Every structure is written in structure tokens, then in C-alpha cells.
Amino acid sequence: MDKMRPQKRGGFRKQVNSWWNNLTEGQRTVTGIIAANVFVFCLWRLPGMRRIMFTYFTSNPSSRALCSPMLLSTFSHFSLFHMAANMYVLWSFSSSIVSLLGCEQFIAVYLSAGVISTFVSYVAKMATGRFEPSLGASGAIMTVLAAVCTKMPEAKLAIILLPMFTFTAGSALKAIIAFDTAGLALGWRLFDHAAHLGGALFGMWYVTYGHKLIWKNREPLVKAWHEMRTKNTGKGGGGRSN
């Protein structure tokens, strides 16, 4: 048995490495985001953490904490179904969005989308006087979905429970925007429609104009960072070989 145990552990490690190596760059990138969401979901299960979670991991313009929840609430889910649905959509679109933007730009856009969609939600709540707490990655994920659908409008999509019915990405985006616009105008409370709409509009704007206006001006800085890391790695490798 002692001889077999290391083999089993080694076999499990090989399986994990094989699974990881078979993932796309986009799937590897969002794995960390999904892990963070799972960790925050587990924190909601701890009774002693409830006050902190409501203060910093839900967004509400009437709360004493306004800025940090704009980002932290993007990683926060109280319902398992809510988290599973959001993470499934993020995983499904991960390869496409990272192939469009690259790893660093995707992370920057995703975090920015969480803040921007929450800000739009704040504005809508202040305008309507409905100060209800919100949480979830839906606003940031709507940015991802809208960006992909804007750049690939003819791509075929399907609903997981109804795979026989397909539709184009462009049609899906129009339907989502129409639904959230109606929900915001009519005061529906099923979702945070303002955050969804803000995220979708930000995604459409970014892939159309924002990439040229923002990210291309940052490319020299990113290249310099990569060159510095490469030089430091080379120096470190040379020191070890000597």
C-alpha cells in the first residue's frame, strides 16, 4: 500500500496537469476569477462574516461604504444558482473574449466593467429612490457578452437547456438590451437591470472605440513591463546556472 500511494498521488497530479494544459488561454485566465467568486460565496456561509459581507460585498448608494463595494460586489454571490449561472456564461465566453483582447486587457476590462456597471446601478437607484443592495458578476459578464457579440455578430449561440434552438450573437445582444431597457423603464426588480444595461453598453463601446482610445496608449507601458520581466528572468536564470 505504501508503494501504491505515491503512484496514486502522482497519477492525480498528472490528470490535473493534463486538464490544465488542455484549457484555452481564456479558460485559464477566468479560472482565477471563478475561484475568487467561489471563495466569496463560502464567506457568505459564515455567520460571523455577515456584517462585513453586507457592508463591503453588496453595492448600495445608501451604504456607508461606497467605493470598495463597486468592485468587491462583482465577486459576490449569495445564491449558488446565481453564481453557477454567471460563472458558466463567463467560462463559455472566456476563449472568445481573451482571443479578442488578450489576457491583460481582458482582466483590466473585466474589473473596470464591474465598477462601471455598479456606478450605473447607483445612478439608477438614486434616480428612482430604491436603495436596495445588489451583488453579482452579471454587470461585468454583460460587458464580456456584449463585447463578443459586437465583434462576432454572426456567431451562433444556444441556450444550455434548449440546444436545438440557435440564434445569432447580434440578435441575442439586441434582445438582452431590449429586455433590460424595459426592465429599467418599468421598474422590474427581478434583476439589477441598470447594472446589466451599463455593462452591456460599456462592452459595446469598448470594443468599438475604447480599445483604440485607451489600451493602445498603454501598449508601450505593457511592452516595457514584459521586457523588464524577461530581462530579470534571464538574469536570474544565468545566476543559477553559474
Side-chain angles (χ1 to χ4, degrees):
M1 292 295 295
D2 291 337
K3 292 181 179 179
M4 292 179 65
R5 280 173 188 153
Q7 293 177 0
K8 289 183 177 180
R9 291 174 184 170
F12 176 73
R13 190 179 296 111
K14 287 181 181 178
Q15 290 178 355
V16 173
N17 290 335
S18 176
W19 169 79
W20 179 260
N21 292 331
N22 287 330
L23 297 179
T24 65
E25 184 183 6
Q27 291 170 337
R28 291 185 197 137
T29 303
V30 302
T31 299
I33 297 175
I34 295 173
N37 279 268
V38 172
F39 177 73
V40 174
F41 174 78
C42 293
L43 292 180
W44 275 105
R45 312 272 78 79
L46 302 177
M49 293 291 295
R50 285 296 175 87
R51 180 176 295 181
I52 295 175
M53 300 305 291
F54 274 110
T55 302
Y56 296 102
F57 287 85
T58 63
S59 58
N60 190 336
S62 65
S63 174
R64 63 185 179 88
L66 291 176
C67 295
S68 56
M70 294 176 73
L71 178 62
L72 295 178
S73 63
T74 305
F75 297 89
S76 180
H77 299 82
F78 186 78
S79 165
L80 178 61
F81 176 78
H82 186 200
M83 181 184 69
N86 279 343
M87 295 302 101
Y88 174 78
V89 175
L90 178 61
W91 182 268
S92 300
F93 283 85
S94 61
S95 300
S96 299
I97 190 66
V98 172
S99 66
L100 285 173
L101 302 179
C103 180
E104 289 99 342
Q105 187 175 189
F106 161 70
I107 295 294
V109 170
Y110 185 85
L111 297 178
S112 301
V115 173
I116 291 171
S117 61
T118 304
F119 177 75
V120 175
S121 175
Y122 277 1
V123 172
K125 288 174 182 177
M126 293 291 291
T128 59
R130 296 176 179 175
F131 301 107
E132 300 171 346
S134 300
L135 74 169
S138 303
I141 292 173
M142 283 297 298
T143 295
V144 173
L145 189 150
V148 173
C149 291
T150 300
K151 295 298 285 187
M152 306 175 184
E154 299 303 320
K156 293 293 182 180
L157 303 178
I159 301 174
I160 184 173
L161 299 177
L162 300 171
M164 69 290 296
F165 297 106
T166 60
F167 43 86
T168 63
S171 299
L173 180 59
K174 292 175 184 176
I176 290 171
I177 291 177
F179 174 77
D180 283 317
T181 301
L184 183 62
L186 299 176
W188 297 345
R189 299 189 180 186
L190 184 59
F191 305 107
D192 191 339
H193 296 284
H196 289 188
L197 194 58
L201 294 177
F202 173 64
M204 295 169 62
W205 173 84
Y206 189 85
V207 295
T208 306
Y209 305 106
H211 172 72
K212 296 178 181 179
L213 293 175
I214 300 174
W215 194 258
K216 284 200 171 182
N217 293 327
R218 295 173 60 94
E219 279 187 358
L221 179 62
V222 174
K223 288 180 180 178
W225 166 250
H226 281 296
E227 289 175 0
M228 183 178 69
R229 289 181 61 189
T230 303
K231 290 178 181 178
N232 290 337
T233 303
K235 290 179 180 179
R240 283 192 297 268
S241 62
N242 292 332

